[in-house]
Amino acid sequence: MSKIDYIKTSEIFKALSNPIRLQMVDFLLDDECCVTDVVNELGISQSASSQHLSILKNSGIVYPEKHGTRTCYKVNNKLTEEIITLLNKNNNA
Amino acid sequence: MSKIDYIKTSEIFKALSNPIRLQMVDFLLDDECCVTDVVNELGISQSASSQHLSILKNSGIVYPEKHGTRTCYKVNNKLTEEIITLLNKNNNA
DNA sequence: TTATAATATTATGATATTCTAATATATAAA
DNA sequence: TTTATATATTAGAATATCATAATATTATAA
């Protein structure tokens, strides 16, 4: 009997199944984090950034920290961190 | 600069972003493997099984081996194996 | 208070996903 | 051959995703 919760885990993968969100998480893991930084880094619209970050937030992968008018997003999911580490370590895609 | 190929990697996650397919891969990693076995194990229709296996095949996660009228699917993706191992090892979902 | 900057939300159209039902294909058995 | 078994494919409906455009919210600055 497997220990994997297929529904919960598949929701994490669903959040990571978009190249923009995957890049966001990779970026947020070791860099600056306010929405404007993400917009500039990834070169996508403000609205799209906000919506993608919202999906990552709702799946429990990131959480927001408000600083004045800015919102700083940080990765807060052990599994996701381990997976990104795995991806950066190996050359398997 | 990240080593991650976001498009390729997100396609793997997309294939794993469905609870049925995730369970399929987990099952195929250490058990019998013909389509009927998958149908019985997961309790889904033959057509749905075939379509999900096709998605896993097209994303390079599994490959088929024909034996008479049966088709045996096997996992053939290092990253996927590592991720499933990670999922089974830890209790993070 | 008004204006500005940063972010979030909503509406909408285009495309993608996933299921079921039906049909097709391929191998083996009778 | 005909029949049965195993698997694959297709069509279609319901739902989900994603980008853009427009608007709303919130916090600070002037």
Side-chain angles (χ1 to χ4, degrees), chain B residues 58-75:
Chain B
N58 292 337
S59 69
I61 292 177
V62 305
Y63 67 98
E65 263 182 10
K66 298 249 178 189
H67 297 109
T69 96
R70 307 205 168 192
T71 307
C72 177
Y73 281 91
K74 298 186 176 180
V75 177

Side-chain angles (χ1 to χ4, degrees), chain A residues 8 16-17 23 32 49 51 54 59 61 65 83 88 91:
Chain A
K8 269 194 191 171
L16 299 177
S17 74
Q23 189 177 1
E32 286 305 307
S49 286
Q51 290 179 73
S54 182
S59 70
I61 292 177
E65 263 181 12
I83 288 174
N88 271 306
N91 244 356

Side-chain angles (χ1 to χ4, degrees), chain B residues 12 15-16 25 56-57 59-63 74-77 80:
Chain B
I12 297 289
L16 299 177
V25 173
L56 289 174
K57 185 184 69 178
S59 69
I61 292 177
V62 305
Y63 67 98
K74 298 186 176 180
V75 177
N76 188 32
N77 180 271
T80 303

Side-chain angles (χ1 to χ4, degrees), chain A residues 36 46-47 50 69 71 73:
Chain A
T36 304
Q46 180 268 318
S47 179
S50 199
T69 98
T71 307
Y73 281 92

Side-chain angles (χ1 to χ4, degrees), chain A:
Chain A
M1 239 267 291
S2 178
K3 289 172 68 178
I4 302 176
D5 181 328
Y6 300 116
I7 293 177
K8 269 194 191 171
T9 309
S10 68
E11 280 165 7
I12 297 290
F13 288 140
K14 191 174 201 173
L16 299 177
S17 74
N18 176 288
I20 289 172
R21 287 195 295 272
L22 194 52
Q23 189 177 1
M24 277 184 170
V25 174
D26 194 26
F27 176 58
L28 291 177
L29 262 177
D30 54 23
D31 244 301
E32 286 305 307
C33 47
C34 91
V35 180
T36 304
D37 294 328
V38 173
V39 169
N40 293 332
E41 172 77 10
L42 306 205
I44 59 175
S45 75
Q46 180 268 318
S47 179
S49 286
S50 199
Q51 290 179 73
H52 281 303
L53 285 167
S54 182
I55 289 170
L56 290 173
K57 184 184 69 177
N58 292 337
S59 70
I61 292 177
V62 305
Y63 67 98
E65 263 181 12
K66 297 248 178 189
H67 298 108
T69 98
R70 307 205 168 191
T71 307
C72 176
Y73 281 92
K74 298 186 175 179
V75 178
N76 188 32
N77 182 272
K78 189 170 157 251
L79 173 60
T80 302
E81 287 177 28
E82 286 174 340
I83 288 174
I84 297 288
T85 301
L86 196 69
L87 291 171
N88 271 306
K89 199 173 294 171
N90 306 348
N91 244 356
N92 40 17

Side-chain angles (χ1 to χ4, degrees), chain A residues 2 4 6, chain B residues 15-16 19-42 44 48-65 67 71-77 80-81 84-85 88:
Chain A
S2 178
I4 302 176
Y6 300 116
Chain B
L16 299 177
I20 291 172
R21 287 195 295 271
L22 194 53
Q23 189 177 3
M24 276 183 170
V25 173
D26 194 27
F27 176 58
L28 291 177
L29 262 177
D30 53 22
D31 243 300
E32 287 305 307
C33 47
C34 90
V35 180
T36 303
D37 294 328
V38 173
V39 169
N40 293 333
E41 172 76 10
L42 306 204
I44 59 176
S49 287
S50 200
Q51 290 177 73
H52 281 302
L53 285 167
S54 183
I55 289 170
L56 289 174
K57 185 184 69 178
N58 292 337
S59 69
I61 292 177
V62 305
Y63 67 98
E65 263 182 10
H67 297 109
T71 307
C72 177
Y73 281 91
K74 298 186 176 180
V75 177
N76 188 32
N77 180 271
T80 303
E81 286 177 27
I84 298 287
T85 300
N88 271 307

